[in-house]
Amino acid sequence: MFGQSKHQAEQAENVNNGAVAREKPGSNEKITAIACFMGLVASIGGFMFGYVSGQISGYFNMADYARRFGDADGSFSAAKQGSIVGLLSVGCLIGALIAGKLADSLGRRMAISAFALWAIVGNIIEVSSEYAWYQFAIGRLVTGVSIGALSVVVPMYQSESSPTIIRGVLISTYQLFITLGIWTSYLVDWGTHHMDSSASWRIPNGLGFLWSLILGLGILFLPESPRYAYAQGRTEESRRTIARLAGVDENDPVVNSQINEIQNKVKEESVQGKARLVEVFTGPRMLYRTLLGIVLQAGQQLTGANFFFYYGTTIFEATGLGDSYVTQIILGSVNVLFTFVGLYVVAKVGRRKALMTGAGWIFICFIIYTFVGTFALDPEDPRKTPGPGAALIVFSALAIAAFATTWGPIVWAAVAEMYPTRYRAPAMALATASNWLWNFLISFFTRFITDKIHYWYGLVFAGSTLALVFIVFFFMIETKDRSLEEIDTMYLLHVNPIHSANWDGSKIPSDSLPSSVHGNDIAQEHAEAPKETAAV
């Protein structure tokens, strides 16, 4: 799996020596309104994710919410607060694991609609809660199933549908909408937290119905993923969709080239029938890609961004600042602003350089955050040390800026591009489930950990981001401006990640390209393996 076969080594040598080229047609693709609209509507799934994640931070300081669901003194124990926050992530983990199977059976578009409308059930449970905190927590669990499933299917739909020239940007709008959702929730919480009635938290919760309806109904006006449509035998629909989204004629060379690539991959992948779950580990070069996707998605959480988003109000209240809601709005604004910068980075800078730079930047911020909070801030009365308190806010904002520019948007694009169609749904489900698992671990255990070691907790995220620099450098290939089929070929050929940005696929003879189903070294009898449906 990890070694390079002799035949693959010869192919790589052919690249370096300028072997016979098969030139691709010049791209006539345009940035079309329908492609942008598709990216924006689908990304409302990200807005729902951000809104639900961000709103809970402000609830714990609302008087009515504390009276109804807090302890006798109005406070929240670590276990209760962790459960209310963390059960959302548990639901997201479940949703991520079931999303791949439903996306393959219902189609990408219908799966998005169904999961978006399912969130309404969770909202009803939450809004109708009176005094039982566990009912509210269960509502978040139910909502989480929707959010987690959308975090798999939306980037999948965007990656399979978007024209190559703007695919990275459109997938990254998912992260942009996450930040917009977080920011919106902060503004709504700030606008209602002064109310003494249940309206203070029921109004923010009730707005969730609107986001679900917009996505659940709006996605029905968009075309199905052309790659999914082709795999279902709807060839002409696939051709029309590619042409429409790229703004070219149905017989344009660009459309013909993409149809040929999809056709070749679908033929290869149909030989063995439906993929089994185990094949995301045993398929050609899939163990490498599956583990890399899991690590990258876990790494997005281990940058520590959600540490601030989930517990920011509590954290900054402890620094002695007068209005922690305003501080959250400031950090949310930084998150939104720099995510726009992140869209530029996705379009103009390679994935590898951006992720390594972002991880190094966050590492420095958490080192400073840890030592300032531990040695400079007065633990008894933080108001006596306003300078260190302000420093914590500044470096928290810088860490969020780094995340928003790099690890926030780019991971969704990188993971969505990594897998061939045959394995994309279950592999993305496992990778995204890793994200939600770590999301839960951070959201649930943070209060327990910070109560014991306080600001030393920052070293956990500092160490993680330092490790991520090396993981990206040694294991992740550069995928900017490449088709999904070309990316698959790069992994199958064991292209060296360090030099992958300069790899030229046009210099590989077409008759020597490896198969994403069999590889070059897989025996023919594998084609007669039992046809089973993937478990995910």
Side-chain angles (χ1 to χ4, degrees):
M1 176 64 68
F2 295 98
Q4 189 176 40
S5 71
K6 179 180 178 181
H7 185 62
Q8 289 164 338
E10 290 172 351
Q11 290 173 329
E13 185 67 22
N14 285 341
V15 175
N16 296 329
N17 293 335
V20 179
R22 65 183 200 290
E23 297 297 334
K24 290 185 177 181
S27 178
N28 297 319
E29 290 180 321
K30 303 178 182 68
I31 299 176
T32 61
I34 183 63
C36 295
F37 182 70
M38 179 270 295
L40 294 176
V41 170
S43 291
I44 294 172
F47 186 94
M48 292 168 61
F49 170 15
Y51 188 81
V52 173
S53 299
Q55 68 181 182
I56 194 64
S57 177
Y59 286 5
F60 296 113
N61 285 355
M62 293 180 179
D64 185 79
Y65 192 85
R67 281 195 301 268
R68 290 172 181 269
F69 306 120
D71 297 330
D73 60 355
S75 65
F76 288 85
S77 66
K80 183 180 291 187
Q81 186 173 6
S83 297
I84 293 173
V85 174
L87 278 178
L88 174 75
S89 303
V90 174
C92 291
L93 176 61
I94 296 170
L97 290 173
I98 66 174
K101 176 63 177 175
L102 289 176
D104 279 345
S105 58
L106 296 178
R108 307 336 188 196
R109 191 173 60 110
M110 290 303 298
I112 290 174
S113 178
F115 285 124
L117 296 176
W118 175 253
I120 293 175
V121 177
N123 280 330
I124 290 173
I125 297 173
E126 293 173 53
V127 171
S128 63
S129 300
E130 287 291 341
Y131 297 99
W133 69 269
Y134 48 84
Q135 179 182 338
F136 190 89
I138 291 171
R140 283 176 59 82
L141 175 70
V142 174
T143 301
V145 173
S146 169
I147 302 301
L150 290 172
S151 70
V152 174
V153 186
V154 167
M156 184 191 305
Y157 173 71
Q158 291 172 321
S159 70
E160 292 180 348
S161 304
S162 304
T164 302
I165 57 172
I166 56 170
R167 187 182 65 237
V169 172
L170 288 186
I171 299 174
S172 297
T173 59
Y174 180 76
Q175 177 64 29
L176 172 63
F177 273 62
I178 291 176
T179 66
L180 288 171
I182 293 171
W183 182 68
T184 301
S185 72
Y186 290 165
L187 288 175
V188 176
D189 281 357
W190 174 73
T192 63
H193 79 277
H194 64 279
M195 299 178 180
D196 289 329
S197 68
S198 63
S200 60
W201 55 273
R202 281 188 165 128
I203 288 176
N205 251 108
L207 286 175
F209 291 105
L210 178 61
W211 323 136
S212 297
L213 290 172
I214 291 174
L215 177 58
L217 300 179
I219 195 71
L220 299 178
F221 293 94
L222 294 170
E224 180 57 273
S225 154
R227 285 169 172 82
Y228 178 83
Y230 194 100
Q232 301 303 306
R234 307 200 302 263
T235 307
E236 291 306 311
E237 176 188 339
S238 176
R239 178 180 289 276
R240 286 195 302 271
T241 299
I242 292 173
R244 183 185 178 196
L245 292 172
V248 297
D249 185 78
E250 289 183 21
N251 294 313
D252 189 274
V254 170
V255 177
N256 292 332
S257 175
Q258 288 193 41
I259 287 292
N260 288 337
E261 287 183 338
I262 295 171
Q263 181 183 45
N264 290 336
K265 291 296 180 181
V266 169
K267 282 182 178 179
E268 293 171 2
E269 293 159 3
S270 65
V271 172
Q272 289 180 317
K274 295 288 187 179
R276 296 170 295 167
L277 176 60
V278 69
E279 291 182 46
V280 300
F281 301 106
T282 62
R285 198 61 167 159
M286 282 305 299
L287 178 61
Y288 183 102
R289 285 186 270 186
T290 298
L291 293 178
L292 180 59
I294 288 171
V295 170
L296 289 177
Q297 285 283 19
Q300 191 191 58
Q301 289 298 318
L302 289 169
T303 58
N306 278 340
F307 166 60
F308 297 116
F309 297 145
Y310 283 139
Y311 290 98
T313 306
T314 305
I315 293 167
F316 299 122
E317 186 178 43
T319 65
L321 294 172
D323 192 337
S324 55
Y325 285 93
V326 173
T327 305
Q328 280 288 79
I329 292 174
I330 293 172
L331 293 182
S333 300
V334 170
N335 193 22
V336 172
L337 174 64
F338 279 89
T339 302
F340 279 105
V341 178
L343 296 182
Y344 175 84
V345 171
V346 168
K348 300 297 183 181
V349 181
R351 314 309 195 224
R352 285 167 47 83
K353 289 180 181 178
L355 290 177
M356 288 188 289
T357 302
W361 181 351
I362 297 171
F363 165 75
I364 294 171
C365 290
F366 266 110
I367 289 292
I368 296 172
Y369 174 91
T370 298
F371 286 100
V372 169
T374 301
F375 296 110
L377 193 70
D378 188 330
E380 302 298 329
D381 187 0
R383 288 172 295 183
K384 294 180 179 178
T385 51
L392 289 179
I393 302 300
V394 169
F395 282 97
S396 298
L398 289 174
I400 290 173
F403 172 82
T405 308
T406 57
W407 280 85
I410 293 176
V411 165
W412 296 108
V415 173
E417 295 167 340
M418 195 175 294
Y419 311 109
T421 303
R422 175 178 176 81
Y423 309 114
R424 185 170 294 125
M428 283 189 65
L430 287 176
T432 309
S434 167
N435 186 303
W436 289 114
L437 174 62
W438 283 97
N439 190 308
F440 166 72
L441 293 174
I442 291 170
S443 63
F444 184 80
F445 289 106
T446 286
R447 270 289 305 275
F448 294 97
I449 296 172
T450 55
D451 286 351
K452 294 292 184 182
I453 64 174
H454 306 291
Y455 289 96
W456 289 114
Y457 187 38
L459 292 183
V460 173
F461 301 115
S464 298
T465 48
L466 182 61
L468 289 171
V469 173
F470 294 100
I471 289 170
V472 172
F473 180 76
F474 287 110
F475 298 106
M476 180 181 160
I477 67 171
E478 182 55 66
T479 59
K480 179 179 177 292
D481 294 335
R482 300 187 187 276
S483 72
L484 298 181
E485 290 70 29
E486 186 177 12
I487 294 167
D488 180 39
T489 299
M490 291 177 71
Y491 277 107
L492 292 172
L493 290 179
H494 294 240
V495 171
N496 187 332
I498 299 173
H499 305 297
S500 58
N502 299 320
W503 187 80
D504 185 357
S506 68
K507 294 181 179 179
I508 294 292
S510 59
D511 60 357
S512 67
L513 286 174
S515 164
S516 62
V517 176
H518 302 299
N520 287 318
D521 306 311
I522 304 298
Q524 182 62 35
E525 59 263 28
H526 284 227
E528 299 173 4
K531 296 181 179 180
E532 296 177 33
T533 302
V536 177

